[in-house]
Amino acid sequence: MTRNTLLHPTRRNLLLTSGAGLLAAALPGHVGAQAAPIKIGFQLHRTGIGASYGRWYERTAQAAIKLINDGGGIGGRPVEILFEDDATDPKRGSEVVDKLTQSDGCDVVMGTLFSHVVIGSAPRAGELKVPYLVCSEGYHVASGMLNRWTLQPGITDVRSQIASMAPWVSANLGKKVTMIFPDFAFGHDHRDFFTAAMAAQGGEVIAQIAIPPTETSFTRYFPQIPAETEVLYHVMVGPAVLTFVKELGEFYGSGAKPPFFGFIDSLEAVDTATPGLEFLEGSYFWEGHNRVKPADAGEHEAAYRAAVGVDDNGASVSDTADVATYSHMFSTWETLFAIKAGMEASGYTGPTDRQKFVEAMEAMADLPYGIERPQGAKVFNGKTHQVFGTQNISQVQGGKLIRVHQTSMADGAYKDAVDYTTMSF
């Protein structure tokens, strides 16, 4: 476990970058040195198939905590974040929630990305009656399958993302789709919701190819792609994503191929200019937060990139070969600021106020754009415990991801499936 405690910050050393002024001005004030710290536990994919995400989630969380503490902490109290590796394993995930709560005395626990870990961990959070704020994308929170203690205030879910994307794909790329997706909950959400969304657009998913998330070679799956495919929809996760896209390129070679529409998960932490990926030129990807800084980026984008140590191309400022999981890692930053807002709104003083904290979160609605939400403005649905925002479609142009379309928040709306506020704690 790693502890990152910042009890005596100074605004002068916040950032030695061009973004320092914006950050320092955003959250004025200083932490009271004598106040007991608020402890936030972070269930982290430090190892396992989610390790590339975990590395950047940790860096992003540390940067957000530094900014929060430099700006006065939470309710005038400093914040301490405790990281614990869940190994991207659902059984270990539940144990981590227990340890951070029972042994380490954390006030709340932040969850992680991979949906099977979230699903395996949320029941324990419910038993312990500890707020569990996840940075995943699956529909598991908004579907009602979890519990009132589990919330997702920092990133949109797959159902909303797909609802936003499908009309554009149908109108611009084709109607007959073959899907390639990981064979677990996250991939099943893609399978189910994109199939339904394309049908609503008059399209059809003609083949569904499910691949185990631990697979290391993919050549045996590609012959299953029907010849009449008009759009190849792909989303892959884990350490073998580069192998996946390279083998896909080798399969098609220099011959004709259908347009590709991928979720950036298939290329997170991978440089799009990597040799062997030239076949992706002209293809399209969903991005939650644009890896390559758009020309019309919001006023807080530069300060956020400086804080997390990412350059305008989406790589580490200290190592251009270290490509960020930029489309997802903002969720940890925004979730930490949501925790701050919820605790301050509820007058949180300690674990006996955990229920008040959840109720304060449920009362949130409009979440405007700002340094607290660098990805964009959002709306939180307190009934479903799910946040909604905008999405991006980017095209690979000259080896870089260039945004060509941004959805509206309304594009991702769907009918509520649950009202957690009617459930007991």
Side-chain angles (χ1 to χ4, degrees):
M1 181 181 66
T2 301
R3 296 174 184 264
N4 182 41
T5 310
L6 298 166
L7 301 184
H8 304 286
T10 60
R11 185 170 298 168
R12 185 174 301 164
N13 64 14
L14 176 61
L15 281 175
L16 299 177
T17 69
S18 61
L22 283 173
L23 287 170
L27 295 169
H30 291 282
V31 171
Q34 302 303 314
I38 287 172
K39 293 184 178 181
I40 297 175
F42 199 135
Q43 178 194 46
L44 187 72
H45 296 333
R46 186 168 277 154
T47 57
I49 61 174
S52 61
Y53 291 94
R55 183 174 69 255
W56 280 99
Y57 275 31
E58 183 170 358
R59 295 175 186 176
T60 306
Q62 288 174 329
I65 290 295
K66 179 169 177 56
L67 179 55
I68 288 170
N69 278 330
D70 279 359
I74 295 178
R77 295 168 61 185
V79 184
E80 180 179 357
I81 189 163
L82 287 72
F83 296 98
E84 188 76 26
D85 182 20
D86 65 15
T88 327
D89 176 78
K91 181 177 183 296
R92 174 62 183 154
S94 179
E95 294 169 352
V96 165
V97 170
D98 192 272
K99 181 181 184 301
L100 289 170
T101 305
Q102 301 282 76
S103 300
D104 298 325
C106 292
D107 293 273
V108 299
V109 176
M110 277 182 66
T112 191
L113 175 63
F114 277 60
S115 55
H116 63 310
V117 181
V118 171
I119 292 169
S121 303
R124 185 55 180 151
E127 292 170 355
L128 294 170
K129 301 186 185 304
V130 60
Y132 182 50
L133 297 101
V134 300
C135 302
S136 184
E137 291 176 291
Y139 179 59
H140 34 272
V141 177
S143 71
M145 73 178 295
L146 300 180
N147 55 63
R148 195 168 179 179
W149 294 97
T150 305
L151 308 100
Q152 188 155 256
I155 192 169
T156 55
D157 67 336
V158 168
R159 182 175 183 180
S160 181
Q161 293 165 1
I162 287 172
S164 298
M165 298 294 106
W168 190 93
V169 172
S170 175
N172 293 277
L173 300 182
K175 300 285 189 181
K176 294 182 178 180
V177 183
T178 290
M179 298 185 67
I180 303 177
F181 54 89
D183 194 11
F184 70 112
F186 171 69
H188 299 164
D189 282 346
H190 277 269
R191 175 197 65 195
D192 297 342
F193 292 124
F194 192 75
T195 297
M198 283 301 294
Q201 299 297 317
E204 179 186 7
V205 174
I206 61 175
Q208 298 173 340
I209 303 173
I211 300 179
T214 54
E215 187 66 88
T216 58
S217 182
F218 306 88
T219 53
R220 65 189 179 94
Y221 296 97
F222 299 139
Q224 300 175 36
I225 301 171
E228 63 269 29
T229 297
E230 294 177 356
V231 183
L232 183 65
Y233 178 109
H234 63 92
V235 55
M236 198 50 56
V237 294
V241 290
L242 180 57
T243 302
F244 169 76
V245 290
K246 280 189 171 182
E247 290 183 350
L248 182 62
E250 291 168 358
F251 173 75
Y252 279 106
S254 59
K257 61 180 181 290
F260 292 168
F261 182 85
F263 265 56
I264 198 61
D265 307 63
S266 295
L267 277 180
E268 278 284 57
V270 175
D271 186 352
T272 51
T274 299
L277 300 188
E278 292 83 2
F279 77 98
L280 289 175
E281 186 70 15
S283 66
Y284 297 90
F285 285 89
W286 164 85
E287 288 191 280
H289 198 185
N290 292 110
R291 179 189 298 183
V292 175
K293 183 182 175 183
D296 60 348
E299 61 179 307
H300 298 288
E301 181 67 13
Y304 169 72
R305 286 183 185 254
V308 298
V310 171
D311 66 20
D312 286 354
N313 288 318
S316 169
V317 294
S318 60
D319 180 5
T320 57
D322 187 7
V323 177
T325 56
Y326 202 77
S327 199
H328 294 83
M329 67 194 223
F330 71 88
S331 63
T332 65
W333 179 285
E334 297 196 10
T335 299
L336 282 163
F337 279 99
I339 291 171
K340 172 180 166 66
M343 285 188 168
E344 291 178 344
S346 65
Y348 185 88
T349 60
T352 57
D353 291 332
R354 284 171 173 161
Q355 181 175 325
K356 290 182 181 179
F357 167 75
V358 173
E359 291 170 336
M361 292 292 298
E362 291 172 341
M364 290 182 179
D366 291 334
L367 302 172
Y369 173 68
I371 192 60
E372 301 91 345
R373 277 166 296 280
Q375 189 269 348
K378 294 178 177 62
V379 170
F380 187 70
N381 184 334
K383 291 182 178 180
T384 65
H385 286 194
Q386 177 60 55
V387 80
F388 293 83
T390 59
Q391 315 297 331
N392 304 285
I393 296 176
S394 299
Q395 186 180 34
V396 181
Q397 299 177 8
K400 291 186 176 183
L401 289 159
I402 305 300
R403 187 174 69 198
V404 295
H405 178 69
Q406 187 172 62
T407 71
S408 71
M409 203 175 299
D411 291 336
Y414 55 79
K415 186 178 179 180
D416 293 354
V418 66
D419 184 352
Y420 282 112
T421 66
T422 64
M423 297 182 182
S424 69
F425 282 95

